[in-house]
Amino acid sequence: VQVAESGGGSVRAGGSMRLSCTASGSMFDPDVMAWYRQAPGKQHELVATIPSLGSIVYADSVKGRFTISRDNAKNTVYLKMNSMKPDDTAVYLCTAVISLKHYWGQGTQVTVYS
């Protein structure tokens, strides 16, 4: 199974950015797709998760600013980030959970400058 993220880069504080992530190579659709982020000197943080069935979950730090969505036909998950802050600067990693196993992408750097 391959997981590939795209869409990172640099943005001014207050701006927007959209990340995409596609899972491929599996006979099964992901049960859950999620975004995490890793900032220098900080713990790995769950940003948002979207199951095939069930409720979407957001980290408190991104509620009201980020929106996760999913195209099941493409096994693709999106993360739309609005009103971005310098604290959102991190490597954003996508994971696809298939049959209880996590598959990870390599991550994409997001930098928010003030």
Side-chain angles (χ1 to χ4, degrees):
V1 178
Q2 294 79 45
V3 176
E5 305 99 337
S6 62
S10 298
V11 65
R12 186 181 296 274
S16 299
M17 182 181 291
R18 191 179 82 154
L19 305 180
S20 301
C21 168
T22 298
S24 60
S26 173
M27 292 177 58
F28 304 100
D29 294 332
D31 302 304
V32 179
M33 297 190 79
W35 288 98
Y36 286 76
R37 64 187 181 186
Q38 178 80 61
K42 294 186 178 180
Q43 288 189 334
H44 206 200
E45 177 187 23
L46 173 66
V47 176
T49 181
I50 183 167
S52 56
L53 294 172
S55 301
I56 292 171
V57 174
Y58 292 99
D60 288 343
S61 58
V62 307
K63 279 181 183 176
R65 299 188 300 120
F66 290 12
T67 301
I68 190 170
S69 61
R70 179 170 172 172
D71 184 336
N72 290 325
K74 298 179 180 179
N75 282 338
T76 297
V77 63
Y78 305 96
L79 186 68
K80 181 65 188 303
M81 303 181 287
N82 295 324
S83 303
M84 297 185 73
K85 306 174 181 180
D87 281 351
D88 295 323
T89 295
V91 174
Y92 283 70
L93 300 115
C94 175
T95 186
V97 182
I98 301 171
S99 300
L100 302 179
K101 186 172 180 179
H102 284 253
Y103 297 90
W104 293 89
Q106 292 191 332
T108 185
Q109 176 69 45
V110 172
T111 301
V112 184
Y113 57 92
S114 55

